[in-house]
Every structure is written in structure tokens, then in C-alpha cells.
Amino acid sequence: MIKYDPERKTVFGPSDLKLNGSPSKCLLIFDDEIWEELILPNQELETFPVTNAFGRVFDTYRYIKINGEKILLVYPTMGSAGCVCDTELLIASGIKQIVAFGTCGRLNKHIAQNAIILPTSAYREEGTSYHYIPASDEINVDKDALAVCRDVFKKNNFTTIEGKIWTTDAVYRETHGKVALMKERGCVGVEMELSALLALAQYRKIKFTEFLIGDDPVDGNAVEPIKRRNKDIFDTAIEILNNI
């Protein structure tokens, strides 16, 4: 197992990307459909390359201006280690508030495809979080941010489901026994990043929350899918970001 070391001094740390306009708020958009449908075609969004200290160029950054304030939009690396590395750079560059969203597998056949899921905690079956906080089976979400999500989605006429999320590194090792175990523990969805991002946010002391869009039917389907409201989901994410 990973040995947690509480020492904060490291061999090297994340570099400042020197983001234009010094934004403090960011959306991490893990969802391909929303990124490709709403972000990439939008010619009004400011696009720019970002280069880190090692010469890596990021072309997945956009700005949107809301009430005169620039908000950063990022298409992050998938998986716990990659997305935490990306987010470390953002935090080192002045980002203090983050809302993330993407899809997850549905662990309950009565949860409709495209339902909005609000995580209450995440089971830690990835390796990255154990470098940021001591070992535990699960990690709780920010309760104040969860309340904001609940209120904003209700205001925008979404029906939401709340429950625990299973975060795993090994998408192709979701065995039937493991799925049954996580369902017994109260998990309603499975994905690859949440527990690591929660640990990072706790360690770096930033405001962070995430919601998920139910997608793959890990437990099968028993109800009709809900129509996806991509523009409304994006606008709701911005509203949550401005209120956490």
C-alpha cells in the first residue's frame, strides 16, 4: 500500500501557467458531448495556448466572460493521476474555485440515463488521493457546496439523485462482485476522478464540487432515458461555480 507522508515540501512542485486575466474560477469539463457541442464551435470564446515549465502545450483551455469576469474552461486529462496533475497546475496559477462535471456509470438500473447525480462521498479505489490525505475507505464532499448544487439544480428544474460514488483507476476491472459490493455500500455511480479531486481540494484548501451525468448502464436499464439538456447543464455549472 501507499505510505502517506504528511511532509509538504516536495522535490518539485506545479508551475504557474501565468493565465491571461488571472482567473480564479474554473470549470473542469470531462464530458465530450458538451465540450464538442458547446465549447469548441463557439467562436466567441477566447482561445489560447498555455505552456508549462517543461514545454508542454495545453490547447484545451478556453475563457468565457460572465458579468465581466473571466472563467476558465478546461478539458482535463481523464483518470485520477492525470486530472490531479492538470488541476495542480491550475491551482498554482491562481484558481481557487472549481466545479467539475462529466459522465459516470450507473450502478442502479432505476436511475435513468442522463440523470443528474450529486455525489455525497466517494469510495477511494484509485492511487492518487492516498498521497494527499491519510488512508480511508471514502472521502466526503464539501457539504456547503453540495447544498449549493442541490439548490441551483432545483431552481433550474432538474431532478437530481444523491449518493456515494465509486472512483476506480481500473475501468476494465469492474467485476460483478465489485459492482455488487459497491452497491451494498450505497454507491449509485462509478467514475475515475472524484475521490482524487476531493483529496486534492482538501489538501490545497480550495472550493471544489462535482456533479455527474448518469451514462453507462453498469446495472442495466429499467427506466426510459431522460433527454439531455446540455446547454442548461453548462449554464447550471457556471451558476454553481459563482455560488460556492
Side-chain angles (χ1 to χ4, degrees):
M1 291 293 293
I2 298 167
K3 184 183 183 301
Y4 173 70
D5 186 350
E7 172 62 55
R8 295 190 73 92
K9 186 176 181 181
T10 57
V11 177
F12 62 92
S15 56
D16 183 348
L17 299 173
K18 298 181 173 26
L19 299 170
N20 295 338
S22 301
S24 64
K25 298 175 183 177
C26 174
L27 283 188
L28 294 181
I29 303 173
F30 287 97
D31 186 65
D32 292 346
E33 188 171 325
I34 287 178
W35 185 265
E36 293 171 2
E37 181 181 301
L38 298 180
I39 309 304
L40 290 183
N42 190 339
Q43 299 300 312
E44 295 181 3
L45 298 183
E46 181 181 346
T47 63
F48 58 98
V50 173
T51 305
N52 70 8
F54 306 100
R56 179 184 170 190
V57 177
F58 298 79
D59 60 357
T60 52
Y61 283 48
R62 302 288 188 274
Y63 277 134
I64 187 170
K65 188 172 283 190
I66 305 290
N67 297 325
E69 179 183 27
K70 280 187 172 182
I71 292 173
L72 188 64
L73 310 177
V74 176
Y75 184 80
T77 305
M78 291 185 65
S80 60
C83 74
V84 164
C85 285
D86 289 351
T87 308
E88 281 275 35
L89 293 172
L90 297 174
I91 295 169
S93 304
I95 296 297
K96 296 179 175 62
Q97 294 170 232
I98 296 175
V99 170
F101 67 90
T103 59
C104 71
R106 291 172 284 136
L107 296 182
N108 184 326
K109 62 185 179 183
H110 296 288
I111 296 175
Q113 184 179 16
N114 300 324
I116 299 298
I117 299 173
L118 304 183
T120 56
S121 66
Y123 266 89
R124 299 167 65 186
E125 277 219 327
E126 40 67 41
T128 306
S129 66
Y130 293 90
H131 295 281
Y132 285 87
I133 60 175
S136 63
D137 286 339
E138 60 184 289
I139 179 172
N140 289 325
V141 303
D142 181 319
K143 294 296 190 292
D144 292 336
L146 173 59
V148 170
C149 290
R150 188 182 294 128
D151 291 345
V152 173
F153 272 111
K154 182 177 180 181
K155 172 190 165 188
N156 290 304
N157 298 314
F158 282 90
T159 299
T160 58
I161 295 155
E162 298 185 22
K164 298 178 182 180
I165 298 298
W166 168 27
T167 300
T168 176
D169 279 336
V171 65
Y172 297 120
R173 288 294 299 149
E174 295 173 14
T175 64
H176 293 288
K178 187 64 76 67
V179 169
L181 175 63
M182 290 302 172
K183 286 176 63 178
E184 287 176 10
R185 291 181 175 179
C187 291
V188 297
V190 56
E191 52 77 79
M192 300 179 68
E193 297 89 15
L194 178 59
S195 60
L197 288 171
L198 287 170
L200 171 63
Q202 188 178 115
Y203 182 81
R204 294 296 184 193
K205 294 180 169 50
I206 65 159
K207 293 295 291 185
F208 169 80
T209 193
E210 180 166 351
F211 65 86
L212 296 160
I213 305 164
D215 194 15
D216 298 326
V218 178
D219 190 42
N221 284 316
V223 292
E224 290 297 313
I226 296 170
K227 183 179 179 181
R228 243 187 186 250
R229 296 163 52 190
N230 285 341
K231 180 64 165 58
D232 292 336
I233 291 171
F234 177 79
D235 291 343
T236 300
I238 291 287
E239 188 173 351
I240 292 169
L241 182 62
N242 283 327
N243 284 279
I244 61 171

